[in-house]
Amino acid sequence: MSDWWRHAVVYQVYPRSFVDSDGDGVGDIAGIRSRLPYLRDLGVDAIWITPWYPSPMADGGYDVADYRDVDPLFGTLADADTLIGDAHALGLRVLLDLVPNHTSSAHPWFVEALASPPGSRARARYWFRDGGGPDGSVAPTDHRSVFGGPCWTRVVGADGRPGQWYLHLFAPEQPDLCWDDPDVLAEFDDVLRFWFARGVDGFRIDVADMLVKDRAAIDTPELVGPDAPYPFSDQPGVFEIHRRWRRIADAQDPPRVLVGEIHGARPERDARYLHPDGLHGAFDFAFLRSAWRAADLRQVVSDALDAFGAVGAAPTWVLSNHDETRHVTRYGGDDLALGTRRARAAALLMLALPGVAYLYQGEELGLPEVTDLPDAALRDPVWERSGHTRRGRDGCRVPLPWTGQVAPYGFGPAESEPWLPQPPGWGGFAADRQAPDPASMLSLYRTALALRRTDPGFAGESFAWRDMGPGVLSFERDAGLWVIVNLSAAAVALPIGDVLLASAPLDDGRLPVDAAAWIRPG
Ligand code: NOJ
């Protein structure tokens, strides 16, 4: 179907933590291939694989040293080709992750830039600037990096003395590219074509809103003033870049898809990115950030449907990803039972909304955040960059439990040691344990995805709220699906009809607190 991306369910694979086939402690492409049948049976339409390119792994692969190859940790380019072919044979589409805002500091361009003098062509591909003050020791601007600390680092000149500064909105190992430079534009056109030619169905685009910088704010910050808007996102030029990529994506047969990571949690802003000649989609992070309260959820869903609908785009819902606290823990804190109940209800809410849904590996197993990783195990650069004040994102990246009751729980061969330690008891979440249990999270996801795929109630994109009293979210899809999520303090009566699926056993025909149901109206 040509518009598959308007209603797909996409499963995010974070390769390091998915399946380790060779026992080196890190997941790999052969591991992903071995679980493709599992993903097909789960009922997703596509997978999005976070970066697998050669990388020093300063930020889990979001520091790319070569955009046209695969890191040996994960396999080879030939393995990537085989995986894409296998996935397609099973009816699964494949999205990769494009990281265009920054390269790795090990990328040949940056290595060349460091070896080249100020003002050179090689430095023009990045944001090199002289520092202020008599000895150039003052950073060009005061902006902070997303991971903590300044977003400028000073390099050592050819004479061994401190030299210019370069911009990195993330870690120092991730220098920002200068998208005014023609080499940069041409390079990424080619990278897109390289992977499209290998059959990749589209890209998730990392920090898609931040590629273009306000040059005046960098070069003359004193004129722009300290209260000026953040100069690194939403710059007009960024839309031009997306248009350029859309032309390339549209020129493929079949056309390919571009989905942007755009932070800021304001759907009316995200919608600016979504045009027939811009990105196809952008994650709605407001939904992910919403408190577990009916009024708040209703507001974020309405805002997204209005904003995305106004530009003819499909909303893109997501509850968890590799950067966020897993939603079982967001919704329940230390109370695993509460978080799990709410996560089950949230899954039925998300999967019944019109639009696209992204699942993050392990959410179908109901994994909570691992909040007690030892300090020495932490790998996220956020931990060091924040001076050990933010523990970072490792807790949602712990390798998955697949089988058995003994670590590494089928993530890798027996006795192998995963790159992040799995907590004791992780086997309670293992896929093999959940598969035969009709009450498990895995069974809920499988049933929900099968219904979403086959039940006529999910056809079309229409949506209308129905009032069922305070604390109850309720909406109807035109094709014949009524969705109720009970966030009130008491069980609620259900409308007349067939219960297609409920996230918890009904209580004398009523929907319990923190539960959701899909009803075919009678
Ligand atoms: C967003 C990615 O999802 C995150 O993992 C990464 O650290 C930053 N972008 C920088 O690339």
Side-chain angles (χ1 to χ4, degrees):
M1 219 184 303
S2 62
D3 65 347
W4 65 273
W5 46 271
R6 292 191 69 89
H7 44 75
V9 176
V10 184
Y11 184 98
Q12 180 189 351
V13 175
Y14 191 72
R16 303 165 71 76
S17 304
F18 193 58
V19 183
D20 170 19
S21 74
D22 58 10
D24 65 358
V26 180
D28 45 48
I29 295 181
I32 303 174
R33 282 182 60 210
S34 72
R35 297 299 155 141
L36 290 175
Y38 166 89
L39 295 174
R40 180 213 38 211
D41 295 347
L42 179 61
V44 300
D45 303 292
I47 56 176
W48 150 37
I49 304 172
T50 57
W52 60 13
Y53 317 106
S55 163
M57 304 287 166
D59 181 23
Y62 282 95
D63 45 323
V64 180
D66 178 354
Y67 290 86
R68 294 181 191 75
D69 205 347
V70 167
D71 196 283
L73 205 53
F74 300 129
T76 63
L77 199 50
D79 293 334
D81 289 339
T82 314
L83 167 65
I84 295 164
D86 286 359
H88 286 166
L90 291 176
L92 296 167
R93 291 187 161 87
V94 179
L95 307 181
L96 297 186
D97 209 315
L98 189 70
V99 190
N101 180 67
H102 41 265
T103 67
S104 162
S105 50
H107 189 284
W109 273 1
F110 194 72
V111 173
E112 186 190 347
L114 287 186
S116 305
S120 58
R121 275 289 307 126
R123 288 205 173 186
R125 298 183 189 122
Y126 294 90
W127 290 93
F128 279 89
R129 290 293 182 273
D130 293 333
D135 55 358
S137 64
V138 179
T141 73
D142 291 337
H143 294 101
R144 312 295 292 168
S145 103
V146 175
F147 292 160
C151 70
W152 294 93
T153 289
R154 196 169 190 188
V155 302
V156 177
D159 55 3
R161 310 218 336 229
Q164 286 192 300
W165 298 72
Y166 69 89
L167 177 73
H168 52 86
L169 297 184
F170 296 89
E173 297 86 351
Q174 295 168 297
D176 278 54
L177 286 165
C178 176
W179 274 89
D180 303 338
D181 190 90
D183 287 357
V184 176
L185 285 164
E187 168 71 359
F188 279 84
D189 290 357
D190 194 66
V191 168
L192 286 175
R193 292 195 178 101
F194 175 87
W195 288 104
F196 288 157
R198 308 191 99 83
V200 162
D201 299 281
F203 279 95
R204 174 267 193 187
I205 297 162
D206 193 55
V207 283
D209 56 326
M210 287 161 71
L211 310 181
V212 176
K213 277 74 178 172
D214 178 351
R215 199 171 269 277
I218 291 177
D219 290 340
T220 47
E222 61 285 2
L223 295 183
V224 179
D227 298 326
Y230 187 65
F232 305 130
S233 64
D234 298 345
Q235 299 296 317
V238 83
F239 303 105
E240 283 309 314
I241 296 168
H242 296 169
R243 269 191 207 108
R244 182 182 179 105
W245 292 342
R246 179 64 179 260
R247 282 194 294 273
I248 296 173
D250 281 350
Q252 310 300 311
D253 182 19
R256 312 300 157 96
V257 173
L258 305 172
V259 182
E261 184 213 24
I262 296 166
H263 272 286
R266 278 178 290 131
E268 70 285 358
R269 165 176 167 261
D270 297 353
R272 288 174 54 198
Y273 285 85
L274 309 174
H275 293 284
D277 59 351
L279 303 179
H280 295 79
F283 299 104
D284 183 47
F285 290 114
F287 180 66
L288 180 152
R289 301 248 148 74
S290 171
W292 185 250
R293 269 195 302 269
D296 298 41
L297 281 165
R298 180 172 168 144
Q299 192 65 52
V300 297
V301 169
S302 292
D303 288 351
L305 291 174
D306 290 351
F308 289 77
V311 292
T316 302
W317 312 105
V318 57
L319 288 168
S320 278
N321 66 31
H322 65 294
D323 294 330
E324 305 286 343
T325 302
R326 283 191 178 272
H327 60 273
V328 164
T329 303
R330 280 206 321 273
Y331 291 146
D334 291 338
D335 186 340
L336 180 64
L338 177 69
T340 302
R341 222 167 36 243
R342 291 179 172 174
R344 292 173 66 91
L348 294 201
L349 166 62
M350 175 170 77
L351 293 173
L353 291 169
V356 185
Y358 274 68
L359 313 182
Y360 174 48
Q361 64 179 37
E363 80 171 67
E364 81 281 16
L365 303 177
L367 296 185
E369 184 82 359
V370 179
T371 51
D372 57 357
L373 285 169
D375 292 1
L378 298 179
R379 294 286 173 271
D380 187 345
V382 166
W383 172 238
E384 290 301 331
R385 292 284 298 167
S386 69
H388 296 186
T389 56
R390 287 157 59 198
R391 297 185 68 75
R393 303 159 291 179
D394 292 312
C396 65
R397 299 174 177 179
V398 172
L400 296 196
W402 291 99
T403 53
Q405 296 305 308
V406 182
Y409 309 104
F411 165 68
E415 313 286 319
S416 61
E417 215 176 295
W419 69 282
L420 280 175
Q422 298 160 302
W426 211 223
F429 295 102
D432 73 334
R433 185 170 171 141
Q434 296 199 35
D437 174 3
S440 69
M441 186 71 91
L442 181 57
S443 295
L444 180 78
Y445 270 78
R446 283 188 175 157
T447 311
L449 292 170
L451 281 167
R452 179 180 159 114
R453 196 176 264 250
T454 54
D455 192 273
F458 291 84
E461 298 183 2
S462 68
F463 175 98
W465 291 113
R466 297 282 176 244
D467 195 11
M468 285 188 57
V472 182
L473 271 185
S474 173
F475 58 88
E476 218 175 335
R477 305 266 306 258
D478 253 7
L481 177 72
W482 195 319
V483 180
I484 297 118
V485 191
N486 184 6
L487 297 98
S488 76
V492 291
L494 291 173
I496 308 284
D498 294 335
V499 179
L500 296 176
L501 185 61
S503 67
L506 299 186
D507 171 6
D508 202 14
R510 297 158 73 83
L511 184 68
V513 174
D514 289 326
W518 291 353
I519 313 275
R520 179 175 299 119

